[in-house]
Amino acid sequence: MRRKLVVANWKMHGSIAQNQQLFDAFKQKLAPIDNVDFAVCVPYPYLFQAQVVLSGTNIAWGAQNVGKYPVGAYTGEVAASMLKDFDATYVILGHSERSTAYCESGENIAAKFVTAKNAGLTPVLCVGETLQEREAGMEQQVVAEQLDALLLSQGGAVFEHAVVSYEPIWAIGTGLSATPDQAQAMHEFIRARIAGYDADAANSLRILYGGSVNPVNASQLLVMQDIDGGLIGRCSLDANDFEKICLAAAAVR
Ligand code: PEP
């Protein structure tokens, strides 16, 4: 069985003081859970704080974006090697809040994914459809295209030691989660798509669900066969809510 992974996406929230409180609460609440992996993806300026506070705990940390080039004259960008300098493990890529607001193409996201992997980071690739696309019955086609941006150029092995997060755009930050069956169907589809290129990579791949996961719906989502954890936005800013989601992950047998 794949070990569950719960990732907090703090987006553009936090301050040194607020983070300290949340980190302290996470450390205390999650320390007893030994059958789930945890991570907090923070804004870049707080990577050092995450490194100092979370080193030696069972909580990894990471970023929410990375530059697609390894080094150079790219004002405002942050290189994968810089994230490694702060011992980051994960980097979220292709989140719809970025791909929509900053017009990121699939090609660009694929380049970042490869750069991150080459630097020894674990990319968390976000895929998902809009409400309009779902209503038109196009959700699988849309997600297939997002995966194909990597599969066609890199093959299936690129997903070894990586993470995919299915994030229906209509469910992010809206309070309207996908149902467990809707999520499971898409997760199964993602795994099968990757298995078409590399069955081993697909089988070991952790596919997270993200989109309004909360303490009430977490158990029903996380128990589904192909849901290997969650990417948590709003509820990761509340230590009690986040703990409940993590406990729901730990309770799945
Ligand atoms: C996210 O940011 O990836 C996310 C899923 O947010 P929320 O949990 O708030 O919907």
Side-chain angles (χ1 to χ4, degrees), residues 7 9-11 92 95-97 126 165-168 171-175 209-214 231-236:
V7 179
N9 175 14
W10 280 2
K11 312 191 184 196
I92 297 172
H95 194 288
S96 58
E97 286 161 9
C126 299
S165 187
Y166 171 50
E167 301 233 315
I172 297 174
T174 60
Y209 169 76
S212 297
V213 178
N214 61 43
L231 181 57
I232 317 297
R234 187 176 52 83
C235 286
S236 70

Side-chain angles (χ1 to χ4, degrees), residues 84-96:
K84 288 297 287 181
D85 268 347
F86 294 96
D87 291 332
T89 300
Y90 296 95
V91 60
I92 297 172
L93 295 175
H95 194 288
S96 58

Side-chain angles (χ1 to χ4, degrees), residues 127-158:
V127 297
E129 78 287 355
T130 63
L131 185 58
Q132 221 180 3
E133 288 162 343
R134 177 163 279 268
E135 283 174 351
M138 292 170 58
E139 66 272 17
Q140 291 194 347
Q141 186 188 323
V142 168
V143 169
E145 279 167 18
Q146 292 165 344
L147 295 172
D148 286 355
L150 270 156
L151 288 169
L152 295 175
S153 59
Q154 306 294 324
V158 79

Side-chain angles (χ1 to χ4, degrees), residues 31-65:
I33 307 176
D34 61 7
N35 63 338
V36 176
D37 291 332
F38 304 113
V40 185
C41 289
V42 298
Y44 290 139
Y46 301 131
L47 278 170
F48 180 63
Q49 186 185 16
Q51 182 188 32
V52 169
V53 179
L54 298 178
S55 285
T57 72
N58 63 340
I59 309 169
W61 56 96
Q64 303 165 19
N65 187 29

